[in-house]
Structure formats: C-alpha cells, structure tokens
Amino acid sequence: MTNVLVVAEHDGRTVSSATARTVRCAAAIPNAEIAVVAFAANGAALADQIATLEGVRRVLLVDNALHAHPLAALMAPQLAEIATGCSHVLAPATTFGKDLLPQVAALLGTVQVSDIMAIETATRFRRPIYAGNAVATVEVAALPLVGTVRIASFQPAAAGASHAPVEHVTPTASLPTHTRFVSQTVAAGDRPDLQSARRVVSGGRGLGSAENFKRIDELAALLGAAVGASRAAVDSGFAPNELQVGQTGKIIAPELYIAVGISGAIQHLTGIKDARTIVAINKDAEAPIFEVADIGLVGDLFAILPELNERLAEVLR
Ligand SMILES: Cc1cc2nc3c(=O)[nH]c(=O)nc-3n(C[C@H](O)[C@H](O)[C@H](O)COP(=O)(O)OP(=O)(O)OC[C@H]3O[C@@H](n4cnc5c(N)ncnc54)[C@H](O)[C@@H]3O)c2cc1C
C-alpha cells in the first residue's frame, strides 16, 4: 500500500476544486491509500465535505484558531510531522501549494516534483517544460516525494455518498514565531474564480487601455465568466496581476476561453492548453492565437465586442 497525503486547499468553508483534482491525481498512483489533511479553524464541516470525495480513505483535521488564515510557515513543520511514513505528499500547483510544499520538502530533506500532469508509476511522472512546449518524464530515485499537481490536467474527484472517517490530529512540532497573519486584501469583484471557472474571457494589449478593458468585464458578465488577461495587458496596467493567464500566471482549463486582442504568444498559450473551446478575436489574421483557436473572428475588437455583447444580451434576455 502507498500512503499518499493530500493537503487540502480551502477558504475555511468550502474545499477548492483544486483539492478534488489533486485527489484524482493521487488516486492514479498504484495502490494509493489517500489521506487528506486540512488545516482549519472550526473545520468540522469542511472535513465532512472532504470526507465525501471519491478515493479519500481518511481525513486528518488540524483544527486550530491559528489556521483561520493559511500560512505556509505555520503549516509546513506540522505537515512534515504528519507526513512521517507517507510515500507522497501532494498539493495543487496553485499559489497555496507552491508556497507550502517546497518548505515541506526542505523539512523532510526530500525532492519535489512540480506540476505533475500525469502519473506513470509511483516514482515516475510527466510534467511540462519549456513553457509547455515539451513534456518531461521524470523519475525519483527514492520516496518520500513531495509534489505539486497541475490541476488543469485532472478532473475533480466526485463527491460521492461515502464518508471517510475524520480524525483530529494535534502535531507537536514547534511553530515559528516570525510569521503571523496581519491582513488580507482581496480584489473586489463578483466574477467567478479564474482558476475554476467554466468560462473565461481574457483581454490583451489590443484593448489599448484600462478603460477599454471594461468591455471584457461586460462580455464576461453576460456569460457568467471569469476575467483573465495577458501579461502585456497586466504589465500595461489594464488589469490586475492576479488575472494573468499563462506560464507566469494562472494555468486554466475552462470549457470556453475567449481571447480578445491577444496575439497568442507561447507563454500565454501554455496557460490555456487544456481549455476545451477557444474563441479568438483579433484584427491580424496571421496572429498565432488562430492556430489554436476553434473559432476565430478576424476584425477590430472595438467593432466586434459591442455587437457580440448586444447579440448575447438579446439571446440571454
Ligand atoms: C518568461 C516569460 C514569461 C511570460 N509569461 C506570460 C504569461 O504568463 N502570460 C502571458 O500572456 N504572457 C506571458 N509572457 C509574455 C508573452 O511573451 C507576450 O509578450 C504576451 O503574451 C503578449 O500579450 P498580448 O497578446 O496581449 O500582446 P501582443 O502580443 O502585443 O498582442 C496584441 C494583439 O492584439 C491585436 N489587436 C490590436 N488591436 C486590435 C484591435 N483593435 N482589434 C483586434 N485585435 C487587435 C494585435 O493584432 C495583436 O495580435 C511571458 C514572456 C516571457 C519572456
């Protein structure tokens, strides 16, 4: 039996779909016995949710007021303690997992494999390299292994009728005092979360200004979609940093991705490789985005978007 520990990402009330996808990845490890650990404050309801995920055998709940806000510095030493005897420690390759797992790997004195996109054996994995232009197969010489999971590559584990047992655990690891939660600033907005949204509308440098970028918000609102942006749009100040899609932004896998005024540089495309249907609006018929687009509209976005928004509003009325 292979003891796989998955670290749950959540907002205190709801477990993220990234966690359910990580569980699905864990289940692909031969003979995996999956435990999910959640660090939370008053986390009983949360643990019950996790317990219903298909494939989960145990939920380990570290219930402590200290975990009202996730702090990698506090979780890492406790996780290293809980992970004793585990063969694999997995977390989603989101900001949460990328912050936490390297610290755990260091504390365990073991290797990390980042961005796992497929499991071949318990020690052999596939992961993207060169901005997703190539796939490397990597093999670790020994376990335990710490790994972040490329969530766009896995479907979420379904929430079923079964209920795995929930165990309360109280690690004894001494916690650092150099890090404490001060405050959190969350960008206001009522759009769905970019990383889990089924539809995403993204804008690029072609929008020309932050004022014009609001047209992306209009289209996204009509479609109930999340808003994304290219790096050029972010660097130009049209959109905030957390909306960036691509190699150095978010890797997403929506059912529908609409790219407006985005050329389709390889670093952007790596973020949407797993999107199901890609629609591109660009005035340059030679733009590389059209090589990956399922539907392409060649024309001026300032003419196309108002018409598209108007037609959609009629259809959806
Ligand atoms: C290490 C590294 C990491 C990177 N990471 C990322 C990343 O994570 N995400 C990312 O997006 N980029 C990333 N980049 C940058 C990337 O290489 C591109 O520069 C960037 O994606 C370009 O953004 P863009 O398509 O919005 O801008 P441009 O390439 O300038 O394209 C703008 C497009 O808008 C079109 N356009 C202009 N006006 C109109 C109009 N009126 N109507 C219709 N179309 C119009 C143009 O034809 C053009 O195709 C990275 C680069 C490097 C080197």
Side-chain angles (χ1 to χ4, degrees), residues 205 230-231 244-245 247-248 263 267-268 282 300-301:
R205 184 159 26 209
S230 71
R231 176 156 154 183
Q244 184 175 318
V245 171
Q247 182 188 344
T248 41
S263 59
Q267 295 89 354
H268 187 81
N282 198 304
D300 187 341
L301 68 91

Side-chain angles (χ1 to χ4, degrees), residues 131 203-208 229-235 238 244-251 257 260-271 281-289 297-304:
R205 184 159 26 209
L207 268 301
S230 71
R231 176 156 154 183
V234 169
D235 288 351
F238 303 170
Q244 184 175 318
V245 171
Q247 182 188 344
T248 41
K250 305 254 164 52
I251 307 286
Y257 185 74
V260 184
I262 292 179
S263 59
I266 189 65
Q267 295 89 354
H268 187 81
L269 299 185
T270 195
I281 301 173
N282 198 304
K283 68 179 181 185
D284 175 8
E286 303 296 320
I289 190 77
L297 288 170
V298 180
D300 187 341
L301 68 91
F302 296 107
I304 292 172

